[in-house]
Structure formats: C-alpha cells, structure tokens
Amino acid sequence: LEPRAGGSSETLDADVVLVATGRRPFTDGLGLDTVGVKTDALGRVQVDERFQTDEEGVWAIGDVIPGPMLAHKAEEEAIAVVENIAGLCGHVNYDAIPGVVYTHPEIAD
C-alpha cells in the first residue's frame, strides 16, 4: 500500500481485495460548448426538469446528466423527453427506479 499523501509503503496480505471505481459522463470532446450546452464541473450536461438544456431544441438524458448511470433510468428519461417534445407532461418517478450494484463475480441472480 502506498499512502496518497506520501510516506512509506507497506505490504498487506489479504484473501480478497475490493476495487471500487466511480463513473463519469463521457462528454469531453463532443463540442457541447461550441453549441452552447453547459456542463458542470464533473462534465454532466445541465438540464431543467423537462430535460432541456439552455440551448433551444437540445435535450439530454441518461449517463450525461446528474443521477445514477443506469440504462433503465435513461429509458424512462427518454420516454419523458419524447412526451415533453410532443407537448405533453413527461415525468420520471425516480423513486420507482431500482438501484444496482455490479460485482464480478456476480453475487446474485
């Protein structure tokens, strides 16, 4: 182990090691700034409650906006966006979307 702040390293014997990583939106290099779409410090596209960006006619959902990066969340957001574009009242009930933890090997079916 090597301390992040520096210092001497040490060896730790273990039977199992947990590696946990975060996820980030893949928005670098898309040219969002050239069309006026704003992102936050983490690179997430900023949208309003209707999933519309500050740029007229540009909508965003899924992994590029704040919230869990889950396909079933993006699917519900996509339906809501289409309803909003059609002039209806699209809405996502985030409380009804199950959370997920992915592991390898899988520990549940």
Side-chain angles (χ1 to χ4, degrees):
L1 304 173
E2 296 179 1
R4 178 197 274 185
S8 60
S9 63
E10 62 180 274
T11 301
L12 174 69
D13 292 322
D15 294 329
V16 178
V17 175
L18 170 67
V19 177
T21 61
R23 297 179 63 195
R24 291 184 291 192
F26 184 68
T27 55
D28 289 343
L30 294 179
L32 298 175
D33 55 336
T34 63
V35 295
V37 174
K38 295 183 176 112
T39 57
D40 65 13
L42 298 175
R44 299 175 301 192
V45 175
Q46 297 301 287
V47 294
D48 63 16
E49 66 281 350
R50 301 184 69 228
F51 305 99
Q52 189 165 7
T53 67
D54 285 341
E55 194 61 32
E56 181 73 26
V58 179
W59 309 73
I61 61 163
D63 292 358
V64 299
I65 68 170
M69 294 181 168
L70 302 169
H72 49 284
K73 170 194 164 263
E75 180 182 5
E76 292 298 320
E77 291 170 342
I79 293 167
V81 164
V82 170
E83 291 172 343
N84 289 331
I85 291 170
L88 303 172
C89 186
H91 172 73
V92 176
N93 180 358
Y94 290 104
D95 291 332
I97 298 175
V100 177
V101 175
Y102 295 100
T103 61
H104 182 76
E106 292 183 10
I107 58 174
D109 285 325

